[in-house]
Amino acid sequence: MNSSQATLLTLAIALSLAARPASAAARDELLADYAVTAKKNNPAFAGFSAARGGVFHRKSFAGGKPDTPACTSCHADDPRAAGRTPAGKAIDAVAVSVSPTRYVDPAKVEKWFRRNCQDVLGRECSAQEKGDWLSYMLSR
Amino acid sequence: MTIPYRPIAFGLFALAFAALLFERAQAGGSHFFPPVSDPVVREECGSCHLAYAPSMLPARSWQRMAGDLKNHFGDDASVDTATTARITDYLVANAADTGGRRHGGKLLRGVPAADAPLRITELPRWVKEHREVPARDWKEARSKANCLACHRGAERGDYDD
């Protein structure tokens, strides 16, 4: 490769990086953080699974509040559809394809995992559960 | 020179009357409650339910509510200290007995000064205004907290219908 080709290649890489939206980078970073914790908690951890996240999204738990046994108690079964809070307010779809501004602020994501996991499971969600669920929403 | 008292008096009277009408119209026949304008308050208080207008409760109620967000009608709505302070300041400054008096003053009728009610739907005035709402409408709205189910303009502060 001559020098002008190298320059072109560098330029192309820089452009493709720049073209990647900051929101995607922020989500990748969040997922990477969850992966570090998941690996720490379980050395056998081998990556997140959107399929597992989908099952988690629809699973009913007994540990939380009786009126919110599942994610789907408020969020729609289909992540691309809008949900509804117990107070009747509409919740934007949780799938990134429909709500592209979601999951870019890690503090906000953590705030809602903290609240909602407590309401649904009666405990914090593990890093693996969060990563799986998030992967599912990013894939939808 | 003679001063035309009568026309002046008449003019002033007309002006005062117009001002009175204008104020009533501005207050939307007392069914206008300015919506939350602070973006942080709107986000934190408007995720699960409509961000209720601060002029719907007195300052003491907002203080009491913001002081126990961990037990917010059965939910943990707690936020960090700085955010809690910002929310409290905003609600207290625009409450029914402070900055929002012009809009929410009437809602406080029948509320003892020593009481700090937490539910807007338990204010005597609210109960009176909604006494004719049929049960099927409540069922459809799912919750009395769901103003928007019937008041389509609630997010803009309009509770006329």
Side-chain angles (χ1 to χ4, degrees), chain B residues 4-58:
Chain B
Y5 284 112
R6 236 195 294 186
I8 287 179
F10 183 75
L12 281 176
F13 179 76
L15 203 68
F17 189 69
L20 191 78
L21 276 184
F22 178 69
E23 211 195 353
R24 285 191 66 95
Q26 232 190 358
S30 82
H31 288 114
F32 175 69
F33 299 87
V36 170
S37 59
D38 184 307
V40 171
V41 179
R42 202 162 45 217
E43 162 87 18
E44 296 298 344
C45 305
S47 302
C48 303
H49 52 69
L50 172 79
Y52 301 116
S55 59
M56 289 184 170
L57 284 176

Side-chain angles (χ1 to χ4, degrees), chain A residues 65 73 84-91 108 111-112 114-115 119, chain B residues 43-44 46-49 74-79 142-143 146 155:
Chain A
K65 292 186 181 165
S73 303
R84 202 176 173 193
T85 71
K89 192 172 167 111
I91 310 174
K108 190 172 172 182
K111 180 179 94 175
W112 286 105
R114 174 171 63 81
R115 288 181 177 173
D119 284 351
Chain B
E43 162 87 18
E44 296 298 344
S47 302
C48 303
H49 52 69
D75 276 313
D76 178 1
S78 57
V79 287
R142 295 225 294 201
S143 161
N146 189 9
E155 275 172 331

Side-chain angles (χ1 to χ4, degrees), chain B residues 23-24 27-33 55-57 95-97 100-111 123-129:
Chain B
E23 211 195 353
R24 285 191 66 95
S30 82
H31 288 114
F32 175 69
F33 299 87
S55 59
M56 289 184 170
L57 284 176
D97 54 348
R101 189 178 291 120
R102 194 155 64 83
H103 305 287
K106 276 188 186 168
L107 260 182
L108 297 190
R109 281 182 190 168
V111 179
L123 301 176
R125 178 88 186 180
W126 189 97
V127 174
K128 193 177 155 212
E129 293 266 351

Side-chain angles (χ1 to χ4, degrees), chain A residues 54-139:
Chain A
V55 172
F56 182 83
H57 182 65
R58 295 180 186 87
K59 188 176 170 182
S60 270
F61 298 88
K65 292 186 181 165
D67 52 341
T68 55
C71 304
T72 51
S73 303
C74 297
H75 300 296
D77 200 73
D78 171 6
R80 289 181 188 162
R84 202 176 173 193
T85 71
K89 192 172 167 111
I91 310 174
D92 291 343
V94 274
V96 166
S97 61
V98 181
S99 305
T101 58
R102 277 193 181 272
Y103 318 121
V104 295
D105 175 1
K108 190 172 172 182
V109 174
E110 273 296 295
K111 180 179 94 175
W112 286 105
F113 270 138
R114 174 171 63 81
R115 288 181 177 173
N116 296 348
C117 293
Q118 203 59 48
D119 284 351
V120 171
L121 298 94
R123 60 166 173 84
E124 272 181 44
C125 289
S126 69
Q128 161 128 31
E129 287 165 337
K130 292 178 191 174
D132 285 345
W133 188 88
L134 205 52
S135 302
Y136 176 58
M137 295 314 160
L138 298 183
S139 75

